[in-house]
PDB file of all heavy atoms in Angstrom:
ATOM      1  N   MET A  11     -29.770 -57.609  19.933  1.00 96.00           N
ATOM      2  CA  MET A  11     -30.021 -57.710  18.491  1.00 96.00           C
ATOM      3  C   MET A  11     -29.116 -56.707  17.782  1.00 96.00           C
ATOM      4  O   MET A  11     -29.057 -55.533  18.164  1.00 96.00           O
ATOM      5  CB  MET A  11     -31.485 -57.446  18.195  1.00 96.00           C
ATOM      6  CG  MET A  11     -32.384 -58.534  18.749  1.00 96.00           C
ATOM      7  SD  MET A  11     -34.111 -58.178  18.579  1.00 96.00           S
ATOM      8  CE  MET A  11     -34.296 -56.863  19.744  1.00 96.00           C
ATOM      9  N   TYR A  12     -28.419 -57.183  16.746  1.00 95.00           N
ATOM     10  CA  TYR A  12     -27.508 -56.331  15.996  1.00 95.00           C
ATOM     11  C   TYR A  12     -27.296 -56.932  14.617  1.00 95.00           C
ATOM     12  O   TYR A  12     -27.628 -58.085  14.363  1.00 95.00           O
ATOM     13  CB  TYR A  12     -26.172 -56.172  16.729  1.00 95.00           C
ATOM     14  CG  TYR A  12     -25.366 -57.445  16.849  1.00 95.00           C
ATOM     15  CD1 TYR A  12     -24.310 -57.707  15.982  1.00 95.00           C
ATOM     16  CD2 TYR A  12     -25.662 -58.393  17.824  1.00 95.00           C
ATOM     17  CE1 TYR A  12     -23.576 -58.876  16.089  1.00 95.00           C
ATOM     18  CE2 TYR A  12     -24.934 -59.556  17.942  1.00 95.00           C
ATOM     19  CZ  TYR A  12     -23.889 -59.789  17.072  1.00 95.00           C
ATOM     20  OH  TYR A  12     -23.164 -60.943  17.175  1.00 95.00           O
ATOM     21  N   THR A  13     -26.711 -56.141  13.723  1.00 91.00           N
ATOM     22  CA  THR A  13     -26.372 -56.604  12.384  1.00 91.00           C
ATOM     23  C   THR A  13     -24.890 -56.959  12.370  1.00 91.00           C
ATOM     24  O   THR A  13     -24.046 -56.085  12.565  1.00 91.00           O
ATOM     25  CB  THR A  13     -26.645 -55.495  11.341  1.00 91.00           C
ATOM     26  OG1 THR A  13     -28.003 -55.072  11.490  1.00 91.00           O
ATOM     27  CG2 THR A  13     -26.411 -56.001   9.940  1.00 91.00           C
ATOM     28  N   PRO A  14     -24.554 -58.242  12.159  1.00 88.00           N
ATOM     29  CA  PRO A  14     -23.143 -58.627  12.147  1.00 88.00           C
ATOM     30  C   PRO A  14     -22.427 -58.138  10.891  1.00 88.00           C
ATOM     31  O   PRO A  14     -23.057 -57.806   9.894  1.00 88.00           O
ATOM     32  CB  PRO A  14     -23.186 -60.155  12.201  1.00 88.00           C
ATOM     33  CG  PRO A  14     -24.529 -60.517  11.684  1.00 88.00           C
ATOM     34  CD  PRO A  14     -25.449 -59.374  11.967  1.00 88.00           C
ATOM     35  N   GLY A  15     -21.109 -58.101  10.967  1.00 87.00           N
ATOM     36  CA  GLY A  15     -20.292 -57.681   9.831  1.00 87.00           C
ATOM     37  C   GLY A  15     -19.219 -56.708  10.260  1.00 87.00           C
ATOM     38  O   GLY A  15     -19.215 -56.230  11.394  1.00 87.00           O
ATOM     39  N   PRO A  16     -18.283 -56.395   9.351  1.00 92.00           N
ATOM     40  CA  PRO A  16     -17.218 -55.452   9.701  1.00 92.00           C
ATOM     41  C   PRO A  16     -17.753 -54.026   9.843  1.00 92.00           C
ATOM     42  O   PRO A  16     -18.735 -53.660   9.217  1.00 92.00           O
ATOM     43  CB  PRO A  16     -16.243 -55.565   8.525  1.00 92.00           C
ATOM     44  CG  PRO A  16     -17.076 -56.041   7.395  1.00 92.00           C
ATOM     45  CD  PRO A  16     -18.160 -56.898   7.990  1.00 92.00           C
ATOM     46  N   VAL A  17     -17.073 -53.252  10.693  1.00 93.00           N
ATOM     47  CA  VAL A  17     -17.433 -51.849  10.897  1.00 93.00           C
ATOM     48  C   VAL A  17     -16.255 -51.011  10.434  1.00 93.00           C
ATOM     49  O   VAL A  17     -15.136 -51.170  10.921  1.00 93.00           O
ATOM     50  CB  VAL A  17     -17.740 -51.565  12.387  1.00 93.00           C
ATOM     51  CG1 VAL A  17     -18.155 -50.127  12.588  1.00 93.00           C
ATOM     52  CG2 VAL A  17     -18.818 -52.507  12.899  1.00 93.00           C
ATOM     53  N   ALA A  18     -16.484 -50.132   9.469  1.00 93.00           N
ATOM     54  CA  ALA A  18     -15.423 -49.284   8.940  1.00 93.00           C
ATOM     55  C   ALA A  18     -14.979 -48.265   9.985  1.00 93.00           C
ATOM     56  O   ALA A  18     -15.707 -47.957  10.925  1.00 93.00           O
ATOM     57  CB  ALA A  18     -15.901 -48.568   7.677  1.00 93.00           C
ATOM     58  N   ALA A  19     -13.767 -47.751   9.818  1.00 91.00           N
ATOM     59  CA  ALA A  19     -13.204 -46.765  10.746  1.00 91.00           C
ATOM     60  C   ALA A  19     -14.110 -45.538  10.816  1.00 91.00           C
ATOM     61  O   ALA A  19     -14.525 -45.006   9.792  1.00 91.00           O
ATOM     62  CB  ALA A  19     -11.812 -46.363  10.286  1.00 91.00           C
ATOM     63  N   GLY A  20     -14.430 -45.121  12.030  1.00 91.00           N
ATOM     64  CA  GLY A  20     -15.257 -43.934  12.230  1.00 91.00           C
ATOM     65  C   GLY A  20     -16.745 -44.187  12.180  1.00 91.00           C
ATOM     66  O   GLY A  20     -17.520 -43.301  12.519  1.00 91.00           O
ATOM     67  N   LEU A  21     -17.173 -45.372  11.758  1.00 94.00           N
ATOM     68  CA  LEU A  21     -18.603 -45.660  11.683  1.00 94.00           C
ATOM     69  C   LEU A  21     -19.063 -46.382  12.945  1.00 94.00           C
ATOM     70  O   LEU A  21     -18.258 -46.760  13.792  1.00 94.00           O
ATOM     71  CB  LEU A  21     -18.925 -46.484  10.448  1.00 94.00           C
ATOM     72  CG  LEU A  21     -18.682 -45.777   9.107  1.00 94.00           C
ATOM     73  CD1 LEU A  21     -19.157 -46.647   7.961  1.00 94.00           C
ATOM     74  CD2 LEU A  21     -19.372 -44.426   9.051  1.00 94.00           C
ATOM     75  N   GLN A  22     -20.372 -46.580  13.055  1.00 94.00           N
ATOM     76  CA  GLN A  22     -20.924 -47.175  14.261  1.00 94.00           C
ATOM     77  C   GLN A  22     -22.042 -48.146  13.929  1.00 94.00           C
ATOM     78  O   GLN A  22     -22.598 -48.118  12.838  1.00 94.00           O
ATOM     79  CB  GLN A  22     -21.439 -46.078  15.188  1.00 94.00           C
ATOM     80  CG  GLN A  22     -22.533 -45.227  14.567  1.00 94.00           C
ATOM     81  CD  GLN A  22     -22.755 -43.952  15.333  1.00 94.00           C
ATOM     82  OE1 GLN A  22     -21.859 -43.427  15.956  1.00 94.00           O
ATOM     83  NE2 GLN A  22     -23.978 -43.443  15.283  1.00 94.00           N
ATOM     84  N   VAL A  23     -22.337 -49.014  14.891  1.00 95.00           N
ATOM     85  CA  VAL A  23     -23.394 -50.012  14.773  1.00 95.00           C
ATOM     86  C   VAL A  23     -24.287 -49.858  15.992  1.00 95.00           C
ATOM     87  O   VAL A  23     -23.806 -49.585  17.093  1.00 95.00           O
ATOM     88  CB  VAL A  23     -22.787 -51.436  14.738  1.00 95.00           C
ATOM     89  CG1 VAL A  23     -23.857 -52.493  14.766  1.00 95.00           C
ATOM     90  CG2 VAL A  23     -21.908 -51.605  13.528  1.00 95.00           C
ATOM     91  N   GLU A  24     -25.591 -50.037  15.792  1.00 96.00           N
ATOM     92  CA  GLU A  24     -26.517 -49.973  16.918  1.00 96.00           C
ATOM     93  C   GLU A  24     -26.754 -51.373  17.465  1.00 96.00           C
ATOM     94  O   GLU A  24     -26.997 -52.310  16.709  1.00 96.00           O
ATOM     95  CB  GLU A  24     -27.850 -49.358  16.486  1.00 96.00           C
ATOM     96  CG  GLU A  24     -27.772 -47.874  16.240  1.00 96.00           C
ATOM     97  CD  GLU A  24     -29.136 -47.256  15.973  1.00 96.00           C
ATOM     98  OE1 GLU A  24     -30.140 -48.001  15.897  1.00 96.00           O
ATOM     99  OE2 GLU A  24     -29.190 -46.035  15.847  1.00 96.00           O
ATOM    100  N   LEU A  25     -26.669 -51.499  18.784  1.00 96.00           N
ATOM    101  CA  LEU A  25     -27.000 -52.735  19.481  1.00 96.00           C
ATOM    102  C   LEU A  25     -28.297 -52.483  20.234  1.00 96.00           C
ATOM    103  O   LEU A  25     -28.378 -51.541  21.019  1.00 96.00           O
ATOM    104  CB  LEU A  25     -25.906 -53.115  20.482  1.00 96.00           C
ATOM    105  CG  LEU A  25     -24.472 -53.234  19.984  1.00 96.00           C
ATOM    106  CD1 LEU A  25     -23.549 -53.528  21.144  1.00 96.00           C
ATOM    107  CD2 LEU A  25     -24.365 -54.309  18.939  1.00 96.00           C
ATOM    108  N   GLU A  26     -29.307 -53.289  19.967  1.00 97.00           N
ATOM    109  CA  GLU A  26     -30.575 -53.148  20.680  1.00 97.00           C
ATOM    110  C   GLU A  26     -30.597 -54.148  21.825  1.00 97.00           C
ATOM    111  O   GLU A  26     -30.567 -55.354  21.605  1.00 97.00           O
ATOM    112  CB  GLU A  26     -31.749 -53.379  19.734  1.00 97.00           C
ATOM    113  CG  GLU A  26     -33.054 -53.259  20.444  1.00 97.00           C
ATOM    114  CD  GLU A  26     -34.044 -52.371  19.722  1.00 97.00           C
ATOM    115  OE1 GLU A  26     -33.671 -51.726  18.733  1.00 97.00           O
ATOM    116  OE2 GLU A  26     -35.178 -52.333  20.162  1.00 97.00           O
ATOM    117  N   ILE A  27     -30.623 -53.629  23.042  1.00 96.00           N
ATOM    118  CA  ILE A  27     -30.668 -54.457  24.245  1.00 96.00           C
ATOM    119  C   ILE A  27     -32.136 -54.607  24.619  1.00 96.00           C
ATOM    120  O   ILE A  27     -32.805 -53.618  24.917  1.00 96.00           O
ATOM    121  CB  ILE A  27     -29.898 -53.807  25.423  1.00 96.00           C
ATOM    122  CG1 ILE A  27     -28.535 -53.287  24.981  1.00 96.00           C
ATOM    123  CG2 ILE A  27     -29.814 -54.750  26.601  1.00 96.00           C
ATOM    124  CD1 ILE A  27     -27.584 -54.325  24.513  1.00 96.00           C
ATOM    125  N   GLU A  28     -32.626 -55.834  24.593  1.00 96.00           N
ATOM    126  CA  GLU A  28     -34.023 -56.101  24.909  1.00 96.00           C
ATOM    127  C   GLU A  28     -34.089 -56.934  26.177  1.00 96.00           C
ATOM    128  O   GLU A  28     -33.333 -57.892  26.327  1.00 96.00           O
ATOM    129  CB  GLU A  28     -34.659 -56.857  23.744  1.00 96.00           C
ATOM    130  CG  GLU A  28     -36.156 -56.942  23.793  1.00 96.00           C
ATOM    131  CD  GLU A  28     -36.709 -57.603  22.546  1.00 96.00           C
ATOM    132  OE1 GLU A  28     -36.978 -56.892  21.567  1.00 96.00           O
ATOM    133  OE2 GLU A  28     -36.852 -58.843  22.567  1.00 96.00           O
ATOM    134  N   ILE A  29     -34.993 -56.572  27.083  1.00 94.00           N
ATOM    135  CA  ILE A  29     -35.146 -57.331  28.323  1.00 94.00           C
ATOM    136  C   ILE A  29     -36.610 -57.663  28.531  1.00 94.00           C
ATOM    137  O   ILE A  29     -37.489 -56.812  28.375  1.00 94.00           O
ATOM    138  CB  ILE A  29     -34.574 -56.560  29.554  1.00 94.00           C
ATOM    139  CG1 ILE A  29     -34.698 -57.402  30.804  1.00 94.00           C
ATOM    140  CG2 ILE A  29     -35.223 -55.214  29.719  1.00 94.00           C
ATOM    141  CD1 ILE A  29     -33.943 -56.867  31.999  1.00 94.00           C
ATOM    142  N   PHE A  30     -36.856 -58.938  28.821  1.00 93.00           N
ATOM    143  CA  PHE A  30     -38.191 -59.374  29.235  1.00 93.00           C
ATOM    144  C   PHE A  30     -38.148 -59.451  30.751  1.00 93.00           C
ATOM    145  O   PHE A  30     -37.423 -60.264  31.317  1.00 93.00           O
ATOM    146  CB  PHE A  30     -38.543 -60.734  28.616  1.00 93.00           C
ATOM    147  CG  PHE A  30     -39.885 -61.234  29.063  1.00 93.00           C
ATOM    148  CD1 PHE A  30     -41.037 -60.638  28.585  1.00 93.00           C
ATOM    149  CD2 PHE A  30     -39.986 -62.279  29.964  1.00 93.00           C
ATOM    150  CE1 PHE A  30     -42.290 -61.079  29.002  1.00 93.00           C
ATOM    151  CE2 PHE A  30     -41.231 -62.723  30.383  1.00 93.00           C
ATOM    152  CZ  PHE A  30     -42.383 -62.129  29.899  1.00 93.00           C
ATOM    153  N   ALA A  31     -38.890 -58.565  31.405  1.00 91.00           N
ATOM    154  CA  ALA A  31     -38.844 -58.456  32.865  1.00 91.00           C
ATOM    155  C   ALA A  31     -39.538 -59.655  33.502  1.00 91.00           C
ATOM    156  O   ALA A  31     -40.747 -59.817  33.361  1.00 91.00           O
ATOM    157  CB  ALA A  31     -39.504 -57.156  33.314  1.00 91.00           C
ATOM    158  N   MET A  32     -38.731 -60.503  34.153  1.00 87.00           N
ATOM    159  CA  MET A  32     -39.299 -61.660  34.851  1.00 87.00           C
ATOM    160  C   MET A  32     -38.568 -61.846  36.168  1.00 87.00           C
ATOM    161  O   MET A  32     -37.386 -61.549  36.283  1.00 87.00           O
ATOM    162  CB  MET A  32     -39.200 -62.915  33.996  1.00 87.00           C
ATOM    163  CG  MET A  32     -37.809 -63.292  33.585  1.00 87.00           C
ATOM    164  SD  MET A  32     -37.879 -64.708  32.498  1.00 87.00           S
ATOM    165  CE  MET A  32     -36.167 -64.805  32.019  1.00 87.00           C
ATOM    166  N   VAL A  33     -39.310 -62.333  37.149  1.00 82.00           N
ATOM    167  CA  VAL A  33     -38.754 -62.567  38.471  1.00 82.00           C
ATOM    168  C   VAL A  33     -38.348 -64.030  38.551  1.00 82.00           C
ATOM    169  O   VAL A  33     -39.143 -64.917  38.260  1.00 82.00           O
ATOM    170  CB  VAL A  33     -39.777 -62.217  39.571  1.00 82.00           C
ATOM    171  CG1 VAL A  33     -39.225 -62.537  40.942  1.00 82.00           C
ATOM    172  CG2 VAL A  33     -40.155 -60.753  39.469  1.00 82.00           C
ATOM    173  N   ILE A  34     -37.098 -64.283  38.935  1.00 73.00           N
ATOM    174  CA  ILE A  34     -36.574 -65.648  38.974  1.00 73.00           C
ATOM    175  C   ILE A  34     -36.819 -66.280  40.336  1.00 73.00           C
ATOM    176  O   ILE A  34     -37.359 -67.369  40.444  1.00 73.00           O
ATOM    177  CB  ILE A  34     -35.070 -65.653  38.635  1.00 73.00           C
ATOM    178  CG1 ILE A  34     -34.865 -65.082  37.245  1.00 73.00           C
ATOM    179  CG2 ILE A  34     -34.498 -67.053  38.727  1.00 73.00           C
ATOM    180  CD1 ILE A  34     -33.466 -64.677  36.956  1.00 73.00           C
ATOM    181  N   GLY A  35     -36.433 -65.585  41.396  1.00 66.00           N
ATOM    182  CA  GLY A  35     -36.550 -66.135  42.752  1.00 66.00           C
ATOM    183  C   GLY A  35     -37.986 -66.118  43.246  1.00 66.00           C
ATOM    184  O   GLY A  35     -38.756 -65.220  42.930  1.00 66.00           O
ATOM    185  N   GLY A  36     -38.358 -67.116  44.049  1.00 58.00           N
ATOM    186  CA  GLY A  36     -39.713 -67.193  44.561  1.00 58.00           C
ATOM    187  C   GLY A  36     -39.874 -66.522  45.915  1.00 58.00           C
ATOM    188  O   GLY A  36     -40.985 -66.321  46.373  1.00 58.00           O
ATOM    189  N   GLU A  37     -38.757 -66.158  46.565  1.00 58.00           N
ATOM    190  CA  GLU A  37     -38.847 -65.568  47.905  1.00 58.00           C
ATOM    191  C   GLU A  37     -39.307 -64.118  47.822  1.00 58.00           C
ATOM    192  O   GLU A  37     -39.190 -63.465  46.793  1.00 58.00           O
ATOM    193  CB  GLU A  37     -37.484 -65.654  48.621  1.00 58.00           C
ATOM    194  CG  GLU A  37     -36.405 -64.741  48.082  1.00 58.00           C
ATOM    195  CD  GLU A  37     -35.669 -65.291  46.866  1.00 58.00           C
ATOM    196  OE1 GLU A  37     -35.878 -66.456  46.519  1.00 58.00           O
ATOM    197  OE2 GLU A  37     -34.901 -64.521  46.262  1.00 58.00           O
ATOM    198  N   ASP A  38     -39.808 -63.638  48.928  1.00 56.00           N
ATOM    199  CA  ASP A  38     -40.305 -62.263  49.009  1.00 56.00           C
ATOM    200  C   ASP A  38     -39.121 -61.314  49.115  1.00 56.00           C
ATOM    201  O   ASP A  38     -38.338 -61.388  50.052  1.00 56.00           O
ATOM    202  CB  ASP A  38     -41.230 -62.121  50.223  1.00 56.00           C
ATOM    203  CG  ASP A  38     -41.847 -60.731  50.297  1.00 56.00           C
ATOM    204  OD1 ASP A  38     -42.017 -60.116  49.232  1.00 56.00           O
ATOM    205  OD2 ASP A  38     -42.136 -60.280  51.414  1.00 56.00           O
ATOM    206  N   THR A  39     -38.978 -60.428  48.142  1.00 60.00           N
ATOM    207  CA  THR A  39     -37.855 -59.485  48.128  1.00 60.00           C
ATOM    208  C   THR A  39     -38.332 -58.062  48.365  1.00 60.00           C
ATOM    209  O   THR A  39     -37.651 -57.117  48.010  1.00 60.00           O
ATOM    210  CB  THR A  39     -37.102 -59.566  46.783  1.00 60.00           C
ATOM    211  OG1 THR A  39     -38.043 -59.315  45.721  1.00 60.00           O
ATOM    212  CG2 THR A  39     -36.446 -60.909  46.592  1.00 60.00           C
ATOM    213  N   GLY A  40     -39.530 -57.916  48.896  1.00 69.00           N
ATOM    214  CA  GLY A  40     -40.030 -56.578  49.183  1.00 69.00           C
ATOM    215  C   GLY A  40     -40.614 -55.896  47.972  1.00 69.00           C
ATOM    216  O   GLY A  40     -40.721 -54.686  47.931  1.00 69.00           O
ATOM    217  N   GLY A  41     -40.971 -56.646  46.945  1.00 75.00           N
ATOM    218  CA  GLY A  41     -41.604 -56.077  45.758  1.00 75.00           C
ATOM    219  C   GLY A  41     -40.653 -55.718  44.633  1.00 75.00           C
ATOM    220  O   GLY A  41     -41.084 -55.462  43.530  1.00 75.00           O
TER     221      GLY A  41
END
């Protein structure tokens, strides 16, 4: 999640990385 648009020289934008923890494989991977 982020706010699109140009970024001026020397300025910064925050990117929020969000993860929903889910297991895809059905095999036993040791937890």
